Amino acid sequence: MVFKLFPKQDRNLDDDPSMPAKSEDDGIVAEIKSAILSKIILVAGKDVKHANIYDWYIAAALTLRDRIVYQWLQSDRSAQSNGDKRVYYLSLEFLIGRLLTDALTNMSLVEPFRTAIEDLGIDFDELRDVEPDAALGNGGLGRLAACFMESMATLAIPAQGYGIRYEHGLFRQIVSNGWQEEFPEQWLLSGNPWEFERSDVIFDIQYGGRLDRIEQPGKPTHTLWIPDETIQAVAYDTPIVGWRGRHVNALRLWSARAVDPMRLDTFNSGDHLGAMSEMARAEAISKFLYPSDETPAGRELRLRQEYFFVSASLQDILDRHLHTDGDLRSLPSHAAIQLNDTHPSLAVPELMRLLVDKYQIDWDEAWDITTRTISYTNHTLLPEALETWPVELFGRMLPRHLDIIYRINVDHLAAAERHSGADSRFSASVSLIDETGGRRVRMGHLAFIGSHRINGVSAMHSELMRETVFADLNSMYPGRITNKTNGITFRRWLHQCNPKLASLLQDACGAAVLDEPERLRMLERLSDDRAFQQRFQAVKRDNKAALAQVIASRLGIIVDPSALFDVQIKRIHEYKRQLLNAIEAVALYQAILANPDGNWTPRIKIFAGKAAASYRQAKLIIKFINDIGEMINNDPAIRGLLKIVFLPNYNVSAAEIIVPASDLSEQISTAGMEASGTGNMKFALNGAITVGTLDGANIEILEHVGEDNIFIFGMNADEVVRRRATGLEATDVIGSSPMLAGVIEAIERGVFSPDDVSRFAPIAHALRFLDHYMVSADFEDYYRTQRAVDTKWHSPEWTRSSILNVARMAWFSSDRTIREYAEDIWNIP
């Protein structure tokens, strides 16, 4: 037998009032065991004694899925019978992570399933860990979409998410000799027990071709799009369970396939590979998340992806609405389409195309329907994320949509002239076509004018939207921009990933805290209670010991759980400033060597995150972190006082281990560049103290937890703008900082790259002469703040602040965020 046997153990059931009584629970356990055994035989097709651990996982997941489906169908029937307005959430990413424990937690079935599985001789934790992470996202954008989907289900808001069923998704990161290498993430290799293939839900998606103008006497000119390529979008549905299992929504993902799997005539002629070229071209659309856009073919594939999922989703939405209501003119009353960032912006011209071309609705009326139905969330002020597409590529791939965008732009520029007169600068600024450096379609502008509401994701970000990238559009459409500060689902990021803390919080605040996070405020009265502090510290210590085991097993690095765990886990990007963290580690290392008998705080710096495959500087920063770690971790002169850890292949499951174990949360982006962040919320909810800039949601976290319970450093956004205006050289700050100068000189001498002295020359050059992200400019303040962290770490005030962070985080629930969307944007009571 390939699974592990061990005796049944007694357990304490959750005192959750929704849990069944003991005798009832025994019956449920027996039903679960029987169902799992049946799945082993009928689904895996194996005798129980030959089943492997993955067979047991599939059987358990399908057993749970059976229970979810009944509530799912009931939720859908109820919404239809009540005529409820439905939210359609379009996102290129859904970082949903593992679903077994998530669904069990929300269905209040963790303990019955654990008991049943262990009674069958299977290690529940081992079974849970074999589930692969769904590789459907990159970072915060996709994780936010997943949190929002769960919150909409929890709040019983009828909703459906739409995205792409990436066969491989974002790459699997391997770190070899310190360098990132990318490999396909084969999360679907053994199937996905959570999804339902909807082979009856298929839509044609078309590309290329030409336009014909059809003129009839007395009628408006009709435009006919004659495409030269058609592929198919096939739907796959995954149930998303809300808290307590009372409501279930669907995540519908589209998979691409060719209309014909192969050209039989070509195959028979001997060109076997050529016969399948059309299938390969079609299926490439749903192979990978974010294909590299360094080549023309990569850019074309990304545009094909975005149109593919937008068109399939909108065709599906209109079909559903026609089936339930019959009149597309009532669409805004029954449907709210939310664009999660700029990637789904094609929804604006695609909805217009369907309404005007397919359903023959007058242009002005179609535009009114479109703008009242669609709303747009902007997640970034970075120019590269506010997509633009070359007009040539756009017109070749989507000629009808470019035609529609031109028509929209004519009306839009006429409105701009009425607003500002014949101001050519203003018109150029708000135009959907950027004429500078080659004509390009501005997708952020398109989403803005095609939506009735545009929201930022933190108070600061929303204000910067009004003042910077959308300043002129905001003057044309005042009041259209609103703020909806992001949130996180506490079910995943507290109850599930930190069960020991969740149990302690129930003891302190009552079981109702699971349903009413506002009760966390009751912890404030216990923040100075020594006995409670000791229990709180014990939970953190256990979580740190668990992470230390993971680090040892994966990397062979031994870390002391009693040291300060200093954590920065997020996408590797220059604006997120992993480099600032790394050069502070070098400075600290040099300081310890210079004064080995000093009162140093033992510190473990933990990094994790992926760099985009084509982002050379970010990949070099990963190498830099690993190379300094190689030297620091193996230098006996510092006696283990400082260690550097880079955990590869960061994903949701890794975060669920790292976040509860963290003492210090690094949220150190260049001020004015992080829209919100949600990692900062997850860490604070789990008792980590933030060191951060006045950027994104850090500002609101500061307001809620209080300035004594957070470490703020560095320039604010206005100061960053002023410094950039004077130039990007940092020789002034380097000259006044012997410590920073020493770090840069060590990098330039090849201290950390003796095999290639010039390896990190681009990093040193940026620190000296191209300090766009203010790494050098903020270094001294960051270093001083980290020494303040050391001082507090040795004080009882650390645990007090940690408790107060947990106590004051209720506002950052994604339930609160979704309520605000529902009331202010979607018009759903």
Side-chain angles (χ1 to χ4, degrees):
M1 301 176 70
V2 295
F3 53 86
K4 182 164 62 179
L5 293 171
F6 60 96
K8 179 181 177 181
Q9 301 173 349
D10 291 333
R11 297 170 196 84
N12 293 321
L13 292 177
D14 193 336
D15 61 354
D16 179 346
S18 74
M19 289 294 291
K22 182 65 176 175
S23 58
E24 182 185 348
D25 187 60
D26 288 343
I28 291 175
V29 169
E31 290 176 13
I32 293 169
K33 288 163 64 176
S34 176
I36 289 174
L37 290 172
S38 295
K39 300 292 185 188
I40 292 289
I41 296 168
L42 300 176
V43 176
K46 293 183 178 180
D47 286 331
V48 172
K49 64 181 180 180
H50 295 135
N52 61 39
I53 190 64
Y54 198 82
D55 294 327
W56 286 103
Y57 156 68
I58 294 291
L62 290 174
T63 297
L64 177 59
R65 193 185 77 169
D66 288 348
R67 288 175 169 263
I68 292 170
V69 165
Y70 291 105
Q71 186 59 51
W72 183 12
L73 297 176
Q74 176 57 37
S75 298
D76 196 54
R77 282 194 298 266
S78 176
Q80 288 192 40
S81 64
N82 295 334
D84 292 341
K85 190 173 186 179
R86 192 178 295 265
V87 175
Y88 298 103
Y89 197 83
L90 274 60
S91 178
L92 207 55
E93 298 183 39
F94 286 95
L95 204 57
I96 56 178
R98 292 171 175 164
L99 291 180
L100 178 64
T101 310
D102 191 52
L104 285 173
T105 299
N106 280 11
M107 294 288 288
S108 300
L109 287 171
V110 173
E111 290 305 323
F113 263 77
R114 180 187 290 273
T115 301
I117 288 164
E118 293 182 354
D119 280 353
L120 291 168
I122 310 302
D123 185 330
F124 177 80
D125 293 327
E126 182 183 353
L127 177 145
R128 180 187 60 190
D129 289 345
V130 302
E131 179 179 3
D133 271 47
L136 299 169
N138 177 27
L141 179 78
R143 186 52 234 172
L144 180 78
C147 284
F148 279 5
M149 288 300 299
E150 195 268 3
S151 279
M152 283 187 272
T154 291
L155 298 174
I157 294 174
Q160 183 150 296
Y162 282 109
I164 296 178
R165 182 182 178 266
Y166 304 105
E167 185 176 335
H168 299 294
L170 193 66
F171 59 84
R172 176 167 52 95
Q173 181 194 56
I174 300 292
V175 175
S176 178
N177 192 30
W179 290 103
Q180 171 180 294
E181 296 180 1
E182 302 92 24
F183 295 88
E185 184 69 84
Q186 296 180 297
W187 72 284
L188 287 172
L189 186 63
S190 299
N192 177 8
W194 300 106
E195 67 184 9
F196 293 84
E197 180 180 358
R198 306 300 194 192
S199 56
D200 58 328
V201 183
I202 299 175
F203 293 101
D204 287 343
I205 313 298
Q206 297 166 324
Y207 300 95
R210 70 179 196 277
L211 302 181
D212 281 353
R213 308 292 184 184
I214 300 173
E215 297 184 4
Q216 295 177 322
K219 293 184 178 181
T221 299
H222 178 65
T223 301
L224 180 65
W225 179 20
I226 304 173
D228 58 17
E229 180 186 8
T230 299
I231 66 170
Q232 292 183 327
V234 183
Y236 288 77
D237 287 351
T238 297
I240 303 297
V241 185
W243 181 232
R244 304 297 190 193
R246 299 186 187 113
H247 188 93
V248 181
N249 284 325
L251 172 59
R252 175 159 287 182
L253 303 175
W254 301 103
S255 184
R257 74 181 188 192
V259 175
D260 295 311
M262 70 166 61
R263 291 286 302 274
L264 195 57
D265 56 342
T266 306
F267 187 88
N268 288 334
S269 72
D271 185 3
H272 302 150
L273 293 178
M276 294 183 286
S277 61
E278 290 184 16
M279 179 179 69
R281 176 173 167 79
E283 292 182 355
I285 289 175
S286 54
K287 284 287 184 185
F288 289 97
L289 169 67
Y290 297 147
S292 173
D293 58 1
E294 286 195 312
T295 65
R299 291 189 286 274
E300 179 179 314
L301 178 55
R302 189 174 293 196
L303 181 58
R304 284 166 63 85
Q305 280 186 329
E306 293 183 3
Y307 178 63
F308 167 79
F309 104 92
V310 161
S311 179
S313 303
L314 285 172
Q315 290 183 68
D316 193 38
I317 291 167
L318 296 190
D319 273 11
R320 176 195 287 266
H321 181 74
L322 286 171
H323 177 72
T324 58
D325 188 76
D327 183 2
L328 287 177
R329 289 166 177 80
S330 66
L331 184 68
S333 300
H334 294 276
I337 298 175
Q338 187 70 39
L339 310 183
N340 189 31
D341 213 13
T342 314
H343 312 116
S345 299
L346 281 164
V348 175
E350 175 65 359
L351 184 52
M352 287 296 291
R353 182 188 73 83
L354 291 169
L355 293 174
V356 172
D357 292 358
K358 183 175 180 179
Y359 296 106
Q360 304 296 301
I361 294 177
D362 174 75
W363 176 273
D364 290 337
E365 189 172 13
W367 183 245
D368 178 66
I369 292 169
T370 295
T371 55
R372 289 196 294 128
T373 304
I374 293 176
S375 48
Y376 160 52
T377 300
N378 173 276
H379 284 277
T380 182
L381 305 175
L382 296 178
E384 64 266 28
L386 288 170
E387 289 181 318
T388 63
W389 294 106
V391 165
E392 183 278 327
L393 170 64
F394 203 102
R396 175 163 46 85
M397 295 295 302
L398 300 168
R400 177 55 176 147
H401 297 78
L402 183 61
D403 188 50
I404 289 170
I405 288 169
Y406 282 152
R407 170 72 188 275
I408 294 171
N409 204 35
V410 167
D411 295 343
H412 171 58
L413 291 179
E417 185 172 348
R418 290 193 296 272
H419 176 270
S420 296
D423 184 340
S424 59
R425 184 215 63 83
F426 186 88
S427 294
S429 169
V430 300
S431 175
L432 297 181
I433 308 299
D434 182 359
E435 305 281 355
T436 60
R439 302 175 71 238
R440 303 179 69 91
V441 182
R442 290 167 162 159
M443 304 307 286
H445 282 42
L446 179 63
F448 190 107
I449 70 168
S451 301
H452 66 280
R453 272 282 198 260
I454 297 90
N455 71 279
V457 289
S458 72
M460 177 186 184
H461 171 235
S462 298
E463 191 56 35
L464 286 173
M465 283 171 57
R466 297 184 184 99
E467 296 174 353
T468 59
V469 293
F470 294 134
D472 289 334
L473 286 172
N474 183 55
S475 73
M476 278 187 70
Y477 305 98
R480 189 171 289 192
I481 296 178
T482 184
N483 178 60
K484 297 290 168 278
T485 298
N486 285 342
I488 58 174
T489 168
F490 287 18
R491 275 75 61 177
R492 168 81 74 163
W493 295 108
L494 178 60
H495 309 164
Q496 179 183 326
C497 77
N498 201 344
K500 292 181 179 179
L501 180 57
S503 177
L504 178 60
L505 297 178
Q506 288 181 74
D507 289 347
C509 307
V513 74
L514 297 176
D515 298 278
E516 303 169 24
E518 296 78 12
R519 286 176 171 256
L520 289 173
R521 276 283 181 179
M522 297 169 67
L523 291 177
E524 293 195 24
R525 58 184 172 81
L526 297 171
S527 61
D528 292 309
D529 185 291
R530 186 59 188 154
F532 183 79
Q533 286 184 348
Q534 290 174 343
R535 294 178 68 192
F536 188 89
Q537 291 168 340
V539 168
K540 181 66 76 173
R541 186 166 55 248
D542 287 350
N543 291 333
K544 292 171 70 175
L547 177 56
Q549 288 182 343
V550 170
I551 293 170
S553 65
R554 295 185 184 176
L555 301 176
I557 300 172
I558 305 303
V559 300
D560 182 359
S562 67
L564 188 155
F565 278 24
D566 175 356
V567 178
Q568 187 174 18
I569 50 173
K570 54 185 72 232
R571 178 168 52 94
I572 309 297
H573 196 291
E574 289 172 277
Y575 91 83
K576 293 179 183 288
R577 300 204 294 189
Q578 286 90 354
L579 182 58
L580 176 59
N581 192 353
I583 65 172
E584 192 272 335
V586 173
L588 179 57
Y589 171 56
Q590 293 176 335
I592 295 172
L593 289 176
N595 181 20
D597 297 322
N599 185 27
W600 302 105
T601 296
R603 184 185 288 244
I604 315 297
K605 280 187 175 283
I606 299 169
F607 296 84
K610 298 178 181 180
S614 59
Y615 194 170
R616 294 183 181 88
Q617 189 76 349
K619 295 174 82 168
L620 188 63
I621 289 170
I622 291 176
K623 175 62 173 170
F624 181 67
I625 292 168
N626 279 280
D627 279 6
I628 66 172
E630 183 69 20
M631 175 170 286
I632 292 170
N633 296 347
N634 294 292
D635 189 341
I638 63 169
R639 309 184 313 281
L641 288 169
L642 175 63
K643 289 195 175 181
I644 310 295
V645 173
F646 188 96
L647 281 166
N649 206 38
Y650 176 59
N651 56 20
V652 176
S653 298
E656 290 172 350
I657 299 170
I658 297 169
V659 168
S662 302
D663 296 307
L664 186 68
S665 164
E666 297 272 356
Q667 308 297 329
I668 59 175
S669 54
T670 310
M673 299 196 73
E674 184 73 85
S676 170
T678 54
N680 44 11
M681 304 169 192
K682 295 161 194 166
F683 281 111
L685 179 64
N686 283 272
I689 300 177
T690 302
V691 56
T693 50
L694 289 172
D695 197 29
N698 289 352
I699 297 170
E700 285 144 301
I701 291 176
L702 166 65
E703 293 170 354
H704 281 79
V705 304
E707 62 183 14
D708 293 335
N709 304 304
I710 190 172
F711 297 97
I712 297 295
F713 76 95
M715 290 180 283
N716 63 33
D718 290 339
E719 290 167 335
V720 168
V721 171
R722 287 197 294 271
R723 180 168 178 85
R724 281 183 183 152
T726 67
L728 298 181
E729 275 202 29
T731 51
D732 57 337
V733 294
I734 296 169
S736 63
S737 172
M739 187 172 294
L740 176 58
V743 171
I744 297 174
E745 289 166 8
I747 294 171
E748 291 171 330
R749 293 199 318 271
V751 170
F752 305 105
S753 56
D755 58 320
D756 181 0
V757 173
S758 63
R759 176 183 297 144
F760 300 121
I763 287 177
H765 182 77
L767 290 170
R768 286 192 185 277
F769 304 114
L770 297 172
D771 195 28
H772 181 76
Y773 299 100
M774 304 294 129
V775 174
S776 293
D778 271 347
F779 171 81
E780 276 289 332
D781 198 15
Y782 180 60
Y783 187 88
R784 282 193 296 270
T785 303
Q786 289 286 18
R787 305 293 72 80
V789 169
D790 291 341
T791 300
K792 188 161 187 166
W793 175 253
H794 295 290
S795 161
E797 285 299 305
W798 184 277
T799 302
R800 181 178 184 274
S801 287
S802 182
I803 293 169
L804 289 174
N805 267 264
V806 179
R808 296 170 179 175
M809 286 303 294
W811 188 80
F812 294 94
S813 166
S814 52
D815 295 354
R816 183 269 312 159
T817 312
I818 289 300
R819 287 190 186 98
E820 292 181 3
Y821 273 94
E823 293 168 5
D824 185 41
I825 296 177
W826 302 331
N827 194 27
I828 295 176

